[in-house]
């Protein structure tokens, strides 16, 4: 019953926003043809918004595992139109509040002497509406680009890290990290292949995948198994589980079905050539020397699963051994990893996607992900410990990327 109440409140709120924005926009245009064009455009946008909400609701309820381009496009554009209307509503609301305050201050002055209608002020209303439309069109245009091209516009982020205790044989080791593939969201085989080509172009010594192969179902990865299996590196390919790989966000008929799907996700990793680490470690050997590569199951701040066990993972590992840890959720670093008795030199994570929307240019670095995550993308260092958060190979929810492009990470280890 509580869910129905929340749904009812949400629907009422959205209807109110639609009514408010529609009536406010009518005062933005003066000519009759512009008003008619705006009315047609508004109801087309309304149709897309309603369709998008229905699709998103259905996707979360049933777990769409094989989206196509048009499904993603309608969901994405419809969602952004909803956000655009909320931006417009905020503009009009601020203007209405300002006009209300002005009216209250001028209440003692004769309306006939000051203004025949001090509350309406059509010229200012028109200016506010046009300014709101201009500003709201910026994220809309960006989102359309992100849906059409941005989600496969793979970007390479490179970092060089220096350690005094790095074994000499590993001086210059090139780690390529990918994360958050989310195979169930892909709608373009060629786009995915473009990303795989970028990975191999880096000439990796080792490839590490930090979780979330699928959105929900193991079968989502079927079309891509052979493609990812062709990735290769001299020192191997390794992976860990992400929160989506457990299938917790899908309505299973039985717990057995959920467990079988989870085991199938593990099998998909193996078919792709990734050796998965489940709260365990191994040694990567080169020229008679070695480093420790460890991997934990998902551990994240609530409400995300906390299956990672560092004590089990590092059992038998001397504290002084050089160690790289794969842990899907970056919150693990602050909450558990930094304070653990085993010194971790480098933790590799993903999970945040950088919210798939933000700005990263010289002097400006912002993402909506930082509202939730202290470490949301890129390199973070404290003393001689480092965390790198990959922004994600794929996408989820919003079927695009704007400003935060899909990432292939290259980390080179050097002796200090």
């Amino acid at each position: 019953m509580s869910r129905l109440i929340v749904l009812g409140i949400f629907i009422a709120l959205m209807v109110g926003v639609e009514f408010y924005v529609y009536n406010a926009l009518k005062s933005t245009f003066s000519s009759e043809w512009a008003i008619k064009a705006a009315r047609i455009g508004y109801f087309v946008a309304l149709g897309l918004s309603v369709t998008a909400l229905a699709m998103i609701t259905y996707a979360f309820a049933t777990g769409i595992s094989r989206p196509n381009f048009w499904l993603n496009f309608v969901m994405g554009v419809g969602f952004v139109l909803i956000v655009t209307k909320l931006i417009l509503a905020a503009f009009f609301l601020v203007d209405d509040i300002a006009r209300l305050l002005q009216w209250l201050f001028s209440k003692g002055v004769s309306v006939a002497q000051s203004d025949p209608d001090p509350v309406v002020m059509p010229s200012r209303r028109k200016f506010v509406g046009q300014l709101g439309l201009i500003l709201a069109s910026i994220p809309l245009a960006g989102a359309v680009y992100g849906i059409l091209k941005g989600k496969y516009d793979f970007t390479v982020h490179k970092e060089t890290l220096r350690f005094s205790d790095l074994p000499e044989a590993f001086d210059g080791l090139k780690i390529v990290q990918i994360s958050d593939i989310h195979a169930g969201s892909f709608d373009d085989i060629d786009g995915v292949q473009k990303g795989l080509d970028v990975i191999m172009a880096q000439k990796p010594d080792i490839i590490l995948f930090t979780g979330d192969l699928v959105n929900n179902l193991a079968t989502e990865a079927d079309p891509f198994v052979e493609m990812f299996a062709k990735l290769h590196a001299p020192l191997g390919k390794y992976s860990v589980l992400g929160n989506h790989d457990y299938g917790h966000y899908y309505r299973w008929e039985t717990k057995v079905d959920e467990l079988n799907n989870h085991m199938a996700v593990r099998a998909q990793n193996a078919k792709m050539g990734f050796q998965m680490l489940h709260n365990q470690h191994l040694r990567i050997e080169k020229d008679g020397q070695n480093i420790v590569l460890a991997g934990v199951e998902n551990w994240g701040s609530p409400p995300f699963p906390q299956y990672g066990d560092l004590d089990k993972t590092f059992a038998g590992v001397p504290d002084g051994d050089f160690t790289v840890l794969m842990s899907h959720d970056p919150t693990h670093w602050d909450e558990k990893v930094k304070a653990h008795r085993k010194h971790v030199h480098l933790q590799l994570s993903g999970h945040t996607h950088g919210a798939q929307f933000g700005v990263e240019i010289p002097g400006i670095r912002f993402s909506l992900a930082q509202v939730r995550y202290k470490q949301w993308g890129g390199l973070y260092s404290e003393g001689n410990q480092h965390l790198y958060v990959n922004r994600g190979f794929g996408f989820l929810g919003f079927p695009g990327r704007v400003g935060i492009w899909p990432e292939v990470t290259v980390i080179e280890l050097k002796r200090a």
Side-chain angles (χ1 to χ4, degrees):
M1 181 62 70
S2 59
R3 289 185 178 181
L4 291 176
I5 293 175
V6 172
L7 180 61
I9 293 174
F10 175 76
I11 292 174
L13 177 63
M14 291 308 300
V15 170
V17 169
E18 294 289 346
F19 180 80
Y20 178 64
V21 172
Y22 176 72
N23 282 280
L25 275 176
K26 288 194 299 185
S27 61
T28 301
F29 303 96
S30 53
S31 65
E32 188 173 340
W33 71 266
I35 293 174
K36 288 182 179 180
R39 184 180 292 117
I40 293 172
Y42 186 88
F43 283 108
V44 169
L46 177 60
L48 280 172
S49 301
V50 172
T51 302
L53 280 175
M55 287 181 168
I56 292 168
T57 302
Y58 180 74
F60 277 99
T62 63
I64 294 175
S65 59
R66 296 289 176 84
N68 57 46
F69 170 80
W70 288 110
L71 175 64
N72 274 340
F73 184 81
V74 172
M75 288 177 63
V77 173
F79 175 77
V80 174
L81 285 171
I82 293 171
V83 175
T84 300
K85 289 178 201 174
L86 292 174
I87 294 173
L88 286 172
F91 264 85
F92 289 127
L93 183 60
V94 169
D95 182 56
D96 284 341
I97 292 173
R99 289 188 294 111
L100 176 61
L101 291 175
Q102 182 175 344
W103 178 79
L104 290 174
F105 279 116
S106 62
K107 189 176 179 181
V109 181
S110 170
V111 172
Q113 293 177 341
S114 59
D115 193 316
D117 191 349
V119 178
V120 176
M121 285 183 281
S123 60
R124 191 172 80 179
R125 185 64 156 187
K126 182 177 180 180
F127 170 77
V128 170
Q130 292 176 344
L131 178 63
L133 282 172
I134 293 171
L135 294 179
S137 68
I138 296 173
L140 177 60
V144 171
Y145 174 84
I147 295 168
L148 295 176
K149 287 201 64 177
K151 60 189 175 186
Y152 297 116
D153 188 8
F154 293 93
T155 300
V156 177
H157 290 263
K158 296 183 177 182
E159 296 286 350
T160 299
L161 301 179
R162 299 182 180 276
F163 302 91
S164 59
D165 55 349
L166 178 70
E168 188 173 347
F170 291 89
D171 186 23
L173 178 74
K174 188 181 291 185
I175 299 171
V176 168
Q177 179 203 5
I178 57 174
S179 193
D180 300 87
I181 291 172
H182 287 288
S185 297
F186 290 141
D187 55 16
D188 185 351
I189 293 287
D190 292 337
V192 177
Q193 185 60 55
K194 177 183 174 183
L196 300 181
D197 292 341
V198 170
I199 293 173
M200 291 311 303
Q202 309 313 309
K203 296 181 171 55
D205 293 315
I206 189 171
I207 299 174
L208 305 181
F209 166 43
T210 47
D212 274 0
L213 173 62
V214 298
N215 298 342
N216 295 296
L217 308 179
T219 53
E220 295 168 11
D222 285 346
F224 310 102
V225 168
E226 292 186 8
M227 297 169 63
F228 278 88
K230 293 178 181 178
L231 295 176
H232 58 88
L235 297 179
K237 298 158 56 178
Y238 302 89
S239 66
V240 293
L241 292 163
N243 54 298
H244 280 265
D245 294 324
Y246 296 93
H248 292 338
Y249 309 120
Y250 187 81
R251 291 186 180 181
W252 301 99
E253 291 187 8
T254 68
K255 281 291 183 180
V256 173
D257 292 336
E258 182 177 356
L259 178 59
N260 287 339
N261 181 76
H262 172 62
M263 298 308 295
V265 170
R266 295 188 181 198
Q268 296 283 49
N269 273 264
K271 291 176 185 177
M272 290 178 170
F274 292 105
Q275 180 177 341
M276 184 172 281
L277 301 179
H278 305 283
N279 291 329
Q280 61 190 131
H281 71 273
L282 49 76
R283 292 186 179 274
I284 305 295
E285 296 187 4
K286 185 179 181 183
D287 299 336
Q289 297 180 314
N290 63 74
I291 62 174
V292 173
L293 175 64
V296 295
E297 296 204 31
N298 191 86
W299 194 103
S301 297
F304 297 105
Q306 297 184 341
Y307 301 138
D309 186 333
L310 291 175
D311 291 335
K312 180 179 179 181
T313 301
F314 292 126
V317 179
D319 183 61
D321 285 11
F322 189 93
T323 301
V324 176
L325 171 68
M326 293 188 292
S327 180
H328 177 71
D329 193 313
T331 60
H332 200 196
W333 196 55
D334 274 338
E335 296 289 339
K336 295 289 183 180
V337 174
K338 287 193 301 184
H340 195 264
R341 58 93 183 162
K342 173 66 187 82
H343 180 83
V344 172
H345 295 73
L346 171 63
Q347 176 179 323
L348 299 176
S349 300
H351 181 63
T352 72
H353 301 203
Q356 298 171 207
F357 194 100
V359 178
E360 288 191 281
I361 58 176
I364 302 176
R365 191 169 183 269
F366 171 78
S367 165
L368 294 175
Q370 66 194 70
V371 175
R372 172 70 171 82
Y373 296 99
K374 179 181 176 183
Q375 296 94 9
W376 59 268
L379 182 66
Y380 303 85
S381 303
E382 287 192 21
N384 60 349
Q385 288 186 290
H386 305 276
L387 164 69
Y388 192 91
V389 184
N390 181 284
R391 297 160 182 83
F393 187 88
F395 50 93
L396 180 69
F398 173 64
R401 284 179 174 268
V402 183
I404 306 292
W405 314 117
E407 175 177 358
V408 173
T409 306
V410 179
I411 297 178
E412 185 176 10
L413 304 184
K414 299 288 290 184
R415 282 177 61 86

